[in-house]
Amino acid sequence: MTARGKGDFDPMAKIIVPTPLRQYAGKQEAIELAAATVGELLTKLVTEHGELRRHLYTEEGRLRSFVNVYVNDEDIRYLQKENTAVKDSDVVSIVPSIAGGNQHREARSGFLRRRA
Amino acid sequence: MLTIAKQLLEEIGGHGARAYPNECCGALVGVAGEDGRKEVRALLALDNRREGEAARTRFLVTADDFRWAEKQARGQGLEIVGFYHSHPDHPARPSEFDREHALPWYSYIVVRVARSESGATPQRAGQAGGKPQEVTSWVLAEDRSQFLPEEIFPPAASNKG
């Protein structure tokens, strides 16, 4: 019998990778990883698939603002965020929100507001 | 390269015109090949979740809306291949804010919308207060450093009504 290390008893959760990022995850739609929390799961994911990191995390190591994580159907923002515990057979989904727009106009209107 | 029918490009322009002076947004639904080529088969117009003054310079598709759109696409045997949005009174080029919030692989169609010459009341929702101008498509560089122009087929020039 081999010795067990930390993490060997962690639950196995399935993480769903969104289509645009699958090219950085061995073209897999779903990856099973053992982790105690969502944060650990994401850390393992980007450790195994390093090219995912820049798209999920900022250079400061925070999840990008458009990266949302759901455990089953619950957004982790309404649970315990990255400390949310995962159980065996939980499905963790990375769901992007899509944002954009024209920065120049907002900057200009901001300037006008300051003058007013 | 992104293949999209003239009629669908016109629908994007029409959505931008109705939303003017606000930004509009929606999902591009279609199929993608292994070679990176994508074909848009349908559009899903989405509500811009930014409100008030912010909606003139920003758009937002929430994660819940994303999940809804993905479900609709999959129900048709298709997938989301990108998103479109309008730039009222600004060039059809992605902004720095667009780049910071973009994902790789997706096609990002941007349509410039100018104020309608007819002087329609742009404040009234649902009225075409704007007139669509040029349409472009972009893909985020893998290192996130910039947006790269994406060829639209048939060429955008022949898409002008």
Side-chain angles (χ1 to χ4, degrees):
Chain A
M1 188 175 150
T2 54
R4 282 185 180 272
K6 181 185 178 304
D8 284 358
F9 294 103
D10 286 337
M12 289 292 287
K14 185 190 283 186
I15 187 157
I16 307 289
V17 182
T19 310
L21 299 183
R22 283 177 202 160
Q23 58 186 313
Y24 309 116
K27 298 192 175 178
Q28 299 173 89
E29 178 179 355
I31 296 171
E32 288 203 16
L33 291 169
T37 64
V38 169
E40 276 185 36
L41 193 67
L42 292 170
T43 300
K44 280 194 174 180
L45 179 71
V46 298
T47 302
E48 288 192 13
H49 301 281
E51 285 185 300
L52 278 175
R53 187 184 300 272
R54 69 160 72 103
H55 298 295
L56 296 180
Y57 289 94
T58 62
E59 287 174 11
E60 294 77 38
R62 284 195 299 271
L63 274 179
R64 290 189 179 275
S65 59
F66 60 83
V67 174
N68 307 275
V69 183
Y70 283 65
V71 175
N72 302 317
D73 278 327
E74 288 288 332
D75 187 331
I76 62 165
R77 285 195 182 89
Y78 306 111
L79 300 171
Q80 284 78 48
K81 301 181 178 163
E82 287 172 70
N83 294 323
T84 303
V86 291
K87 304 187 301 294
D88 269 324
S89 75
D90 270 347
V91 176
V92 177
S93 308
I94 298 169
V95 182
S97 46
I98 308 296
N102 196 304
Q103 199 163 34
H104 307 297
R105 178 147 171 184
E106 185 161 88
R108 190 175 64 192
S109 61
F111 176 66
L112 290 173
R113 274 202 297 274
R114 278 203 300 276
R115 288 185 68 192
Chain B
M1 186 171 74
L2 183 71
T3 300
I4 179 167
K6 176 183 173 184
Q7 181 198 340
L8 294 180
L9 281 181
E10 286 174 353
E11 280 183 31
I12 292 174
H15 190 188
R18 289 192 304 279
Y20 185 91
N22 291 342
E23 294 200 4
C24 75
C25 56
L28 309 173
V29 174
V31 292
E34 285 290 314
D35 57 359
R37 291 180 179 212
K38 285 165 271 178
E39 180 183 344
V40 181
R41 300 263 179 89
L43 304 173
L44 276 174
L46 299 169
D47 288 335
N48 180 355
R49 297 299 186 183
R50 296 298 297 260
E51 294 177 338
E53 186 76 16
R56 297 191 177 204
T57 55
R58 290 282 186 267
F59 79 92
L60 173 66
V61 177
T62 62
D64 280 345
D65 286 344
F66 180 96
R67 276 157 57 98
W68 177 85
E70 194 167 58
K71 197 173 172 185
Q72 303 304 309
R74 287 187 174 163
Q76 301 291 317
L78 302 170
E79 62 181 319
I80 293 175
V81 297
F83 288 85
Y84 69 84
H85 73 281
S86 60
H87 278 180
D89 298 321
H90 276 82
R93 299 180 64 84
S95 64
E96 185 64 10
F97 190 84
D98 290 336
R99 185 188 63 77
E100 287 169 7
H101 293 78
L103 283 153
W105 190 81
Y106 279 146
S107 295
Y108 288 88
I109 286 183
V110 186
V111 56
R112 174 185 170 227
V113 181
R115 189 185 182 115
S116 171
E117 290 166 10
S118 66
T121 51
Q123 308 294 344
R124 195 174 299 170
Q127 283 203 341
K131 189 177 179 186
Q133 309 287 315
E134 80 266 38
V135 182
T136 55
S137 186
W138 306 81
V139 176
L140 184 69
E142 290 202 4
D143 65 359
R144 306 191 61 84
S145 64
Q146 60 178 325
F147 263 113
L148 304 171
E150 181 180 44
E151 187 184 350
I152 293 177
F153 183 83
S158 67
N159 279 307
K160 286 181 180 170

